[in-house]
Amino acid sequence: MSAFAASRKALTTSPIVAATIYVGLVVVLLFAVATSITGVVGQRDEVASSATMLEQLEGRNPAAVRGPPGDVTRPSGSAFLEGATVTVAGAMLLQRVSAAVTKFGGNVVSTQLDLQGSQSRAGFLSMIASFEINQSELQKLLYDLEAGMPFLFIDQLVVQTPLIASGTEGGRLRILLAVSGQWPGAK
């Protein structure tokens, strides 16, 4: 009998070796089961989190969207430009941008509304505003326009710095700002 055959016979007939292999297989099986259960629990938590976020986005859970009482960090109002006609919605867009510029100490020089121009996308109203504002207030204005309601998008921003004589500070920036917002159409 060869050495291989002898060692094979010893392994197959030894109860200690058989018990060790059995215990090893049970440990591997338990590890596989534990890993699978952990994966299923993790996926269940992700699904629950996604469902909660979906409810908040769809507005079915308004208390969760608004946050705790006294929380003023979340804007209120409609996400779309409101108005029975495209002209009224355009006027609301002009009013929203002009009010924001004035709120931060700016001076509106001119505005132009583009209701159906070549630049506007389907369902969006666009406007161009020319105004003057202090440099320190520009970032606050842009944040207010993009973070407030209705949702507005900054399409273009052109900044012209003032000509400053030597020895003087300050001066207001001249801004050309293209803004668009979505109008859902007449209801």
Side-chain angles (χ1 to χ4, degrees):
M1 184 181 289
S2 71
F4 177 72
S7 65
R8 183 173 170 210
K9 184 177 180 185
L11 286 176
T12 56
T13 58
S14 171
I16 294 174
V17 173
T20 305
I21 292 173
Y22 178 76
V23 169
L25 288 174
V26 169
V27 168
V28 168
L29 179 64
L30 289 176
F31 177 74
V33 168
T35 304
S36 297
I37 290 173
T38 304
V40 168
V41 169
Q43 287 178 347
R44 187 175 148 260
D45 291 342
E46 287 179 25
V47 167
S49 173
S50 296
T52 302
M53 184 182 299
L54 181 62
E55 284 179 359
Q56 290 175 355
L57 292 174
E58 289 181 344
R60 284 188 263 160
N61 192 355
V65 174
R66 278 190 230 110
D71 182 17
V72 293
T73 60
R74 298 183 191 247
S76 61
S78 173
F80 302 105
L81 294 170
E82 295 179 354
T85 65
V86 69
T87 307
V88 174
M92 294 298 291
L93 176 62
L94 288 172
Q95 182 181 16
R96 168 77 173 93
V97 173
S98 297
V101 170
T102 305
K103 175 181 171 183
F104 291 102
N107 181 29
V108 178
V109 177
S110 67
T111 58
Q112 177 183 346
L113 186 61
D114 186 17
L115 298 177
Q116 298 172 348
S118 61
Q119 295 289 340
S120 76
R121 300 169 290 202
F124 282 83
L125 303 179
S126 299
M127 70 159 294
I128 298 173
S130 176
F131 57 92
E132 296 176 342
I133 194 167
N134 290 328
Q135 182 176 355
S136 61
E137 300 296 315
L138 178 60
Q139 182 178 3
K140 296 175 190 173
L141 168 69
L142 295 175
Y143 178 78
D144 183 62
L145 288 175
E146 287 194 328
M149 290 291 182
F151 288 144
L152 298 179
F153 305 98
I154 306 296
D155 297 326
Q156 184 179 12
L157 173 67
V158 179
V159 179
Q160 181 182 1
T161 59
L163 296 174
I164 300 176
S166 60
T168 62
E169 288 188 25
R172 296 170 69 111
L173 300 174
R174 288 182 171 234
I175 308 293
L176 184 66
L177 183 68
V179 179
S180 63
Q182 189 171 12
W183 179 58
K187 295 180 183 176

